Amino acid sequence: GQQLNQSPQSMFIQEGEDVSMNCTSSSIFNTWLWYKQEPGEGPVLLIALYKAGELTSNGRLTAQFGITRKDSFLNISASIPSDVGIYFCAGRSISGGSNYKLTFGKGTLLTVNP
Amino acid sequence: DAGVIQSPRHEVTEMGQEVTLRCKPISGHDYLFWYRQTMMRGLELLIYFNNNVPIDDSGMPEDRFSAKMPNASFSTLKIQPSEPRDSAVYFCASSPDVGGYTFGSGTRLTVV
């Protein structure tokens, strides 16, 4: 089945630093999504990408849909303590019958030291 | 908009007991998804519905798991009988179309 490799698994950074994480897939995707999950809550959608090469920002967050359609990255600039959480990538493949299924990466745990 | 509402937030039950998890999707969302989250396996899709009809249940672990959606505003995930390995956080999510899902806050299930 489809697999998403998300890296790094965890990051420990100082407040103010920039952060970068990425996902690669074994399949071509037509949608990439980035979610953030805080303790005790469900994942919350941060950014959605629908076109190869697309670069989208949401405040200090920037995400890109890779040209090969098999990868995506998320950058966070000038991190702050409230950025702490688990960040998930998710993708939707163009193959297969269930077009509405999302495949999720294993997540990147981000810790920000004030 | 109250978002996706799940109940209960926490459930502790003994092995062998029946467990029912509940979900109210966002009004107007045609798709409803049930996910299970564990440290080892991450987020796994169990089943999803479109317009109350189950479309893909290939992620349901075994016959002990069943899900229903009797109407557009309510869905249940039932485990009978429950086992310790079913302990996880179960999320319900809904979506209007091929965009991103909106997740509920989850039900943390502990089977002892």
Side-chain angles (χ1 to χ4, degrees):
Chain A
Q2 300 163 14
Q3 293 187 9
L4 278 185
N5 296 310
Q6 186 171 350
S7 65
Q9 282 188 315
S10 62
M11 303 182 73
F12 188 93
I13 62 170
Q14 294 294 124
E15 183 177 359
E17 289 183 4
D18 296 345
V19 172
S20 184
M21 59 192 79
N22 68 84
C23 267
T24 59
S25 74
S26 55
S27 306
I28 293 175
F29 280 7
N30 62 2
T31 302
W32 281 99
L33 305 167
W34 285 91
Y35 285 83
K36 178 187 178 187
Q37 185 178 23
E38 297 185 8
E41 298 298 327
V44 174
L45 182 64
L46 299 174
I47 293 179
L49 304 159
Y50 299 105
K51 220 162 52 166
E54 182 180 354
L55 185 72
T56 298
S57 294
N58 178 5
R60 293 177 297 105
L61 278 60
T62 301
Q64 184 159 28
F65 192 139
I67 291 294
T68 66
R69 306 179 85 172
K70 290 186 174 183
D71 63 338
S72 178
F73 72 76
L74 174 71
N75 285 345
I76 305 173
S77 63
S79 59
I80 58 178
S82 62
D83 290 334
V84 165
I86 303 175
Y87 291 79
F88 292 97
C89 62
R92 183 176 288 117
S93 175
I94 62 173
S95 62
S98 291
N99 195 37
Y100 296 95
K101 289 169 62 171
L102 284 179
T103 300
F104 281 83
K106 291 289 177 66
T108 295
L109 173 62
L110 178 63
T111 304
V112 180
N113 191 30
Chain B
D1 187 349
V4 176
I5 299 172
Q6 291 186 246
S7 64
R9 285 300 306 271
H10 302 274
E11 176 82 33
V12 180
T13 191
E14 291 185 346
M15 182 173 64
Q17 296 296 308
E18 176 181 302
V19 175
T20 300
L21 312 181
R22 297 172 176 80
C23 175
K24 177 178 167 53
I26 293 173
S27 177
H29 283 194
D30 294 334
Y31 293 87
L32 183 140
F33 307 84
W34 282 100
Y35 277 84
R36 178 172 67 178
Q37 185 177 39
T38 61
M39 288 291 292
M40 289 298 293
R41 302 171 72 94
L43 277 162
E44 301 175 279
L45 177 65
L46 301 177
I47 185 172
Y48 81 92
F49 296 83
N50 178 213
N51 291 324
N52 313 339
V53 176
I55 302 300
D56 186 342
D57 65 354
S58 59
M60 295 287 261
E62 48 198 273
D63 292 345
R64 296 184 298 106
F65 286 68
S66 63
K68 293 182 180 178
M69 193 165 184
N71 57 63
S73 59
F74 184 64
S75 177
T76 59
L77 177 68
K78 185 179 292 186
I79 307 173
Q80 179 185 22
S82 57
E83 297 182 3
R85 61 191 168 120
D86 301 330
S87 298
V89 181
Y90 290 81
F91 286 104
C92 175
S94 70
S95 171
D97 52 29
V98 295
Y101 306 165
T102 301
F103 283 83
S105 296
T107 295
R108 180 173 294 276
L109 174 65
T110 304
V111 183
V112 299

